[in-house]
Amino acid sequence: INFNQMQALLSSLPNVAPTDGTTSALEKKSWTWEGSLADHMRILLQVPFFFIAPIVLPPKACAVIHLSVESKYSSRFFSHLQGELGRMAGLNDAYELCSTGKLTGGESDEFGCFAKYGRAFAKKDGMGDNVQQKYDTIAEKHSAFAARCAQGLAFFS
């Protein structure tokens, strides 16, 4: 079974959250076997890209994705940890990115699309048209494979 067949299978399952990210509170809390299977498959499909990402993407891009996703949650421990990792990767404004989710300075030209994607991913739990638009921007600017790796990193950030 290839990736496209798996995507078709997952999209055909009933009771799966819609792609626009809008569900009622009751629907978000309802548990079904089909929804659980779809969620598990969605996450399992990201594992290879998570491990390949540090090879495909530059260290700054990886750090930007982690920091922009972390900026939504604001955990003191993880903010500091990701900030230090971003600093070690060479980001000039790692702590600013972690607190605001926005990349400033000269790095925003090259890695801004990764920051926007990570922030959109965190806000909408990886679903919705806005997240897909940011994903498409990475695919256009860098490559489709880079976009898949960014998605894998965002899932496990």
Side-chain angles (χ1 to χ4, degrees):
I1 188 166
N2 65 28
F3 178 75
N4 292 333
Q5 291 170 331
M6 183 60 69
Q7 289 290 7
L9 173 70
L10 292 177
S11 65
S12 68
L13 292 174
N15 298 325
V16 176
T19 57
D20 66 355
T22 57
T23 59
S24 70
L26 180 61
E27 288 174 340
K28 277 191 170 185
K29 293 181 182 181
S30 296
W31 184 88
T32 63
W33 283 104
E34 295 87 5
S36 178
L37 174 65
D39 287 345
H40 281 77
M41 291 305 298
R42 185 172 172 229
I43 291 170
L44 284 174
L45 288 172
Q46 303 305 319
V47 171
F49 297 103
F50 173 77
F51 287 110
I52 294 171
I55 299 166
V56 174
L57 298 175
K60 286 184 181 182
C62 295
V64 165
I65 293 166
H66 285 300
L67 287 166
S68 57
V69 171
E70 175 60 34
S71 69
K72 176 187 176 196
Y73 301 108
S74 301
S75 163
R76 185 174 176 182
F77 173 77
F78 286 108
S79 295
H80 183 70
L81 173 67
Q82 293 295 344
E84 282 298 307
L85 292 174
R87 184 190 59 75
M88 287 189 279
L91 287 175
N92 295 327
D93 54 354
Y95 291 103
E96 178 69 21
L97 176 61
C98 196
S99 63
T100 65
K102 296 178 183 170
L103 197 59
T104 58
E107 295 167 335
S108 65
D109 294 337
E110 189 174 356
F111 302 110
C113 60
F114 292 105
K116 291 175 185 173
Y117 176 74
R119 187 67 176 166
F121 188 96
K123 284 183 179 179
K124 294 289 188 173
D125 296 326
M127 295 182 275
D129 292 336
N130 189 30
V131 177
Q132 186 61 42
Q133 288 170 352
K134 307 294 188 217
Y135 177 91
D136 293 340
T137 302
I138 294 173
E140 290 171 10
K141 190 171 183 180
H142 296 277
S143 71
F145 199 64
R148 286 300 310 248
C149 290
Q151 186 179 41
L153 283 175
F155 262 95
F156 295 103
S157 288

